[in-house]
Amino acid sequence: MPLSFEDAYAAMRVAKEKFDLAHAEPVLRDGRIRMAFHNLYQAASIANMLYVPRSRRGAVDEGGLLTWAKREFEEFIDTLYMRYSRRGAYPKDDFEGEFYRWFGKVREYINRLAAEAKLEQSVKPAHEWMDKRPRGGRPNTRA
């Protein structure tokens, strides 16, 4: 079954569940917090995989329409995946505030990509809606 943006939202729900479990047992706290950050990264990654290949058809990668998505996704890789999940270098004194800050950023990222993907799907190519013949039935010869 192909991925959808709902899968990205599901990964966010899993991240929240794992984060909530981190408060239950102090012995397992670090591992669960790291997994929660990893699931946030996975949510952003799913949305990125769904949107970026689809939009490349008419977008300019550098300095164009995809620059914001690329820049934000690189930030998710650097912080959520590498620093917080892999190395465990998240702020130990305010890990809850940090988690919810990133939770909001990932949610905004997914929402924005999902909205743009939906908009792209609703736009018909010109050849599908443009009538090539005027109402009189004669071909349009005006340039």
Side-chain angles (χ1 to χ4, degrees):
M1 185 160 92
L3 287 174
S4 69
F5 282 98
E6 188 53 43
D7 294 313
Y9 293 117
M12 288 189 67
R13 286 189 293 275
V14 169
K16 174 77 170 77
E17 291 169 6
K18 289 187 179 175
F19 186 76
D20 290 342
L21 287 173
H23 297 295
E25 296 180 49
V27 175
L28 303 174
R29 178 176 292 162
D30 182 62
R32 288 181 175 162
I33 291 171
R34 290 170 72 168
M35 282 306 300
F37 281 120
H38 182 76
N39 285 111
L40 285 181
Y41 161 74
Q42 285 182 317
S45 179
I46 290 168
N48 191 62
M49 285 188 296
L50 289 167
Y51 179 76
V52 172
R54 175 183 299 151
S55 63
R56 295 248 172 176
R57 284 177 272 149
V60 177
D61 191 10
E62 291 299 323
L65 301 174
L66 295 178
T67 302
W68 69 269
K70 182 179 179 181
R71 182 179 58 248
E72 286 186 33
F73 188 64
E74 287 172 353
E75 187 177 0
F76 295 140
I77 293 169
D78 292 343
T79 304
L80 292 176
Y81 181 68
M82 293 304 296
R83 191 177 322 153
Y84 292 177
S85 175
R86 301 273 300 175
R87 294 187 204 123
Y90 57 87
K92 306 289 192 233
D93 56 339
D94 185 28
F95 63 88
E96 190 165 354
E98 190 70 1
F99 176 80
Y100 285 111
R101 184 173 76 82
W102 283 99
F103 189 88
K105 288 179 81 164
V106 170
R107 182 180 53 224
E108 286 178 30
Y109 181 76
I110 295 169
N111 288 343
R112 189 169 175 190
L113 291 180
E116 291 198 19
K118 187 175 181 180
L119 181 64
E120 284 179 6
Q121 289 174 349
S122 68
V123 176
K124 292 182 181 178
H127 65 83
E128 289 182 18
W129 61 267
M130 194 168 86
D131 187 11
K132 299 202 190 279
R133 292 183 176 260
R135 292 182 192 235
R138 294 186 334 199
N140 189 355
T141 56
R142 288 180 271 164

mmCIF file of all heavy atoms in Angstrom, residues 13 29 74-75 130 138:
data_model
loop_
_atom_site.group_PDB
_atom_site.id
_atom_site.type_symbol
_atom_site.label_atom_id
_atom_site.label_comp_id
_atom_site.label_asym_id
_atom_site.label_seq_id
_atom_site.Cartn_x
_atom_site.Cartn_y
_atom_site.Cartn_z
ATOM 1 N N ARG A 13 1.836 10.789 15.801
ATOM 2 C CA ARG A 13 1.099 10.234 16.947
ATOM 3 C C ARG A 13 1.967 9.226 17.710
ATOM 4 O O ARG A 13 1.973 9.211 18.941
ATOM 5 C CB ARG A 13 -0.208 9.588 16.484
ATOM 6 C CG ARG A 13 -1.277 10.606 16.084
ATOM 7 C CD ARG A 13 -2.626 9.959 15.852
ATOM 8 N NE ARG A 13 -2.658 9.070 14.701
ATOM 9 C CZ ARG A 13 -2.880 9.461 13.446
ATOM 10 N NH1 ARG A 13 -3.100 10.731 13.172
ATOM 11 N NH2 ARG A 13 -2.883 8.582 12.469
ATOM 12 N N ARG A 29 13.835 6.370 30.116
ATOM 13 C CA ARG A 29 13.520 7.715 29.638
ATOM 14 C C ARG A 29 14.352 8.129 28.423
ATOM 15 O O ARG A 29 13.819 8.556 27.413
ATOM 16 C CB ARG A 29 13.696 8.731 30.753
ATOM 17 C CG ARG A 29 13.414 10.165 30.272
ATOM 18 C CD ARG A 29 13.492 11.158 31.380
ATOM 19 N NE ARG A 29 12.363 10.884 32.257
ATOM 20 C CZ ARG A 29 12.276 11.305 33.500
ATOM 21 N NH1 ARG A 29 13.243 12.023 34.029
ATOM 22 N NH2 ARG A 29 11.234 11.018 34.229
ATOM 23 N N GLU A 74 16.540 19.530 5.836
ATOM 24 C CA GLU A 74 17.932 19.401 6.270
ATOM 25 C C GLU A 74 18.074 19.713 7.757
ATOM 26 O O GLU A 74 18.862 19.082 8.461
ATOM 27 C CB GLU A 74 18.836 20.300 5.436
ATOM 28 C CG GLU A 74 19.042 19.775 4.030
ATOM 29 C CD GLU A 74 19.788 20.743 3.125
ATOM 30 O OE1 GLU A 74 20.042 21.899 3.535
ATOM 31 O OE2 GLU A 74 20.100 20.338 1.999
ATOM 32 N N GLU A 75 17.286 20.655 8.243
ATOM 33 C CA GLU A 75 17.296 20.972 9.668
ATOM 34 C C GLU A 75 16.744 19.793 10.486
ATOM 35 O O GLU A 75 17.271 19.475 11.557
ATOM 36 C CB GLU A 75 16.456 22.226 9.923
ATOM 37 C CG GLU A 75 16.542 22.738 11.329
ATOM 38 C CD GLU A 75 15.744 24.022 11.530
ATOM 39 O OE1 GLU A 75 15.113 24.522 10.583
ATOM 40 O OE2 GLU A 75 15.744 24.508 12.673
ATOM 41 N N MET A 130 -8.662 23.933 -21.722
ATOM 42 C CA MET A 130 -8.674 24.955 -22.746
ATOM 43 C C MET A 130 -9.386 24.447 -23.995
ATOM 44 O O MET A 130 -9.035 23.403 -24.535
ATOM 45 C CB MET A 130 -7.227 25.343 -23.096
ATOM 46 C CG MET A 130 -7.132 26.608 -23.881
ATOM 47 S SD MET A 130 -5.433 27.169 -23.950
ATOM 48 C CE MET A 130 -4.865 26.251 -25.346
ATOM 49 N N ARG A 138 -15.360 27.024 -35.688
ATOM 50 C CA ARG A 138 -14.205 27.201 -36.553
ATOM 51 C C ARG A 138 -12.941 27.265 -35.715
ATOM 52 O O ARG A 138 -12.943 27.795 -34.605
ATOM 53 C CB ARG A 138 -14.339 28.485 -37.362
ATOM 54 C CG ARG A 138 -15.485 28.440 -38.335
ATOM 55 C CD ARG A 138 -15.523 29.649 -39.217
ATOM 56 N NE ARG A 138 -14.888 30.796 -38.577
ATOM 57 C CZ ARG A 138 -15.076 32.042 -38.926
ATOM 58 N NH1 ARG A 138 -15.882 32.319 -39.903
ATOM 59 N NH2 ARG A 138 -14.477 33.009 -38.317
#
